[in-house]
Amino acid sequence: MNILVIAEHNNTDLLPATLHTVNAAIQLGSTDLLVIGYNCKDVVDAGSKIEGVNQVIFSNDTIYEKPLAENTSLLIKSIANDYTHILFASTANGKNTAPRLAALLDVMIIPDIIEIIDHETFKRPIYAGNAIATCKSSDACKIITVRTTAFEKATLTDKQAKIVSADPSKNTDLAKYISSELSKNERPELTAADIVVSGGRGLGSSENFKVLEKLADKLGAAMGASRAAVDAGYVPNDWQVGQTGKVVAPNLYIAAGISGAIQHLAGMKDSKVIVAINKDEEAPIFTVSDYGLSNDLFKAVPEMEKLIK
């Protein structure tokens, strides 16, 4: 089996999602890493030091400085015949590019896998994680997105894999990059954080989220939220954890004022330790929590914060 992993990066840093995806790929066979970007030597160097990567393929062109799926999918298609499996991280970028590539190759896509049975068979969650589907594909090239929280990170070594170049694709002009509006945050990135503090509609207002933010800053944690809190306008969209938000699996997940709808549980139930704070003793969040506190969060959270040095 020849496996290709599409690297996630920002032209400066190789993102952790890549390490998780490589760890899934090496279970299948000999693994190469494709870096599509512009002037991102540090990303290529970091990718070449991932344990299990045989070679790094680097396509360097100005059209990939702000890469569009319409262009990157054509590039991947040009080398797809050399591979039996092509793996993406199940991120916004991976979910955008993988289906386009599958359409170009006229094959099915196997999305959001959480387990590899063999080179043709994979497990993935369905119905907001309430059931696990076992999928089998006989396509010559299997296009897969990987739920990164289900796989550990690949390790880094001092050895460096071979680096080769690939010719860029032509600019399709099907889409054009206009601009980006990126939120700036001094806290850890939500999907990569070791600790996440999340709030729900029980907070009552955006002002009340400051109670949780103080706790998060003490813990060096990322901030998250339920969809109900996001829809109410309390916090930005990029804080949303759940089926329609971000999937996280930190070492510690603190949920305050979150009832625990199945859509939210689907995004955080793989966390190593879950702490729930809710004054409703019957809240569904307590069914998945390791530690539960039935109390008013506006009393409990400040007390927790005071105890953290």
Side-chain angles (χ1 to χ4, degrees):
M1 299 294 118
N2 292 324
I3 320 301
L4 181 66
V5 171
I6 312 304
E8 287 274 340
H9 65 92
N10 56 13
N11 275 327
T12 303
D13 301 307
L14 187 71
L15 301 182
T18 305
L19 300 179
H20 293 280
T21 309
V22 167
N23 199 27
I26 59 181
Q27 296 181 32
L28 290 164
S30 176
T31 300
D32 292 346
L33 182 70
L34 174 61
V35 177
I36 304 172
Y38 180 62
N39 284 347
C40 51
K41 184 179 181 299
D42 289 344
V43 173
V44 175
D45 288 343
S48 69
K49 295 179 181 178
I50 302 175
E51 181 76 38
V53 169
N54 293 327
Q55 68 174 358
V56 177
I57 305 167
F58 179 33
S59 188
N60 180 54
D61 196 273
T62 54
I63 66 171
Y64 302 134
E65 184 175 7
K66 304 291 184 181
L68 299 173
E70 289 80 1
N71 292 328
T72 57
S73 57
L74 285 178
L75 168 62
I76 302 167
K77 177 180 180 289
S78 69
I79 60 174
N81 288 339
D82 296 331
Y83 297 96
T84 57
H85 300 70
I86 300 177
L87 273 62
F88 298 78
S90 193
T91 59
N93 184 55
K95 291 174 183 178
N96 190 17
T97 309
R100 297 176 189 274
L101 176 64
L104 290 170
L105 297 174
D106 194 24
V107 298
M108 68 179 288
I109 180 173
I110 308 171
D112 212 24
I113 68 164
I114 59 171
E115 185 180 340
I116 297 168
I117 306 300
D118 57 42
H119 70 280
E120 291 186 336
T121 315
F122 311 89
K123 289 187 176 182
R124 58 179 296 266
I126 57 174
Y127 304 132
N130 285 312
I132 304 298
T134 301
C135 307
K136 186 170 185 177
S137 169
S138 57
D139 286 329
C141 182
K142 297 165 183 62
I143 309 302
I144 298 168
T145 64
V146 175
R147 180 174 288 197
T148 55
T149 56
F151 297 88
E152 296 295 329
K153 289 181 181 178
T155 56
L156 299 176
T157 67
D158 293 330
K159 298 178 181 178
Q160 195 165 33
K162 181 173 68 172
I163 300 171
V164 299
S165 61
D167 293 332
S169 64
K170 293 181 180 179
N171 193 332
T172 64
D173 293 325
L174 291 173
K176 182 179 180 182
Y177 173 80
I178 303 297
S179 65
S180 299
E181 293 183 14
L182 302 176
S183 58
K184 295 182 179 179
N185 195 341
E186 294 182 358
R187 297 191 182 95
E189 203 279 319
L190 182 56
T191 57
D194 286 332
I195 304 174
V196 173
V197 177
S198 276
R201 187 162 45 193
L203 271 294
S205 70
S206 57
E207 186 70 21
N208 288 340
F209 260 82
K210 291 181 179 178
V211 174
L212 296 187
E213 290 182 44
K214 290 180 181 179
L215 176 63
D217 290 340
K218 273 278 188 82
L219 293 170
M223 284 295 301
S226 67
R227 178 172 180 171
V230 171
D231 287 349
Y234 300 162
V235 293
N237 288 339
D238 58 357
W239 286 21
Q240 185 176 326
V241 173
Q243 183 183 14
T244 53
K246 295 179 179 177
V247 177
V248 300
N251 290 325
L252 173 62
Y253 187 88
I254 300 175
I258 294 176
S259 62
I262 59 171
Q263 291 86 354
H264 184 77
L265 300 184
M268 46 66 73
K269 65 181 182 181
D270 290 330
S271 303
K272 304 298 184 294
V273 177
I274 299 172
V275 176
I277 305 169
N278 197 303
K279 61 183 179 182
D280 178 8
E281 295 181 2
E282 304 299 322
I285 191 73
F286 289 125
T287 64
V288 299
S289 64
D290 298 285
Y291 301 93
L293 176 61
S294 179
N295 202 338
D296 184 345
L297 70 90
F298 295 108
K299 293 180 180 178
V301 172
E303 289 181 14
M304 290 172 62
E305 184 209 333
K306 289 178 183 177
L307 293 172
I308 298 169
K309 298 181 181 179

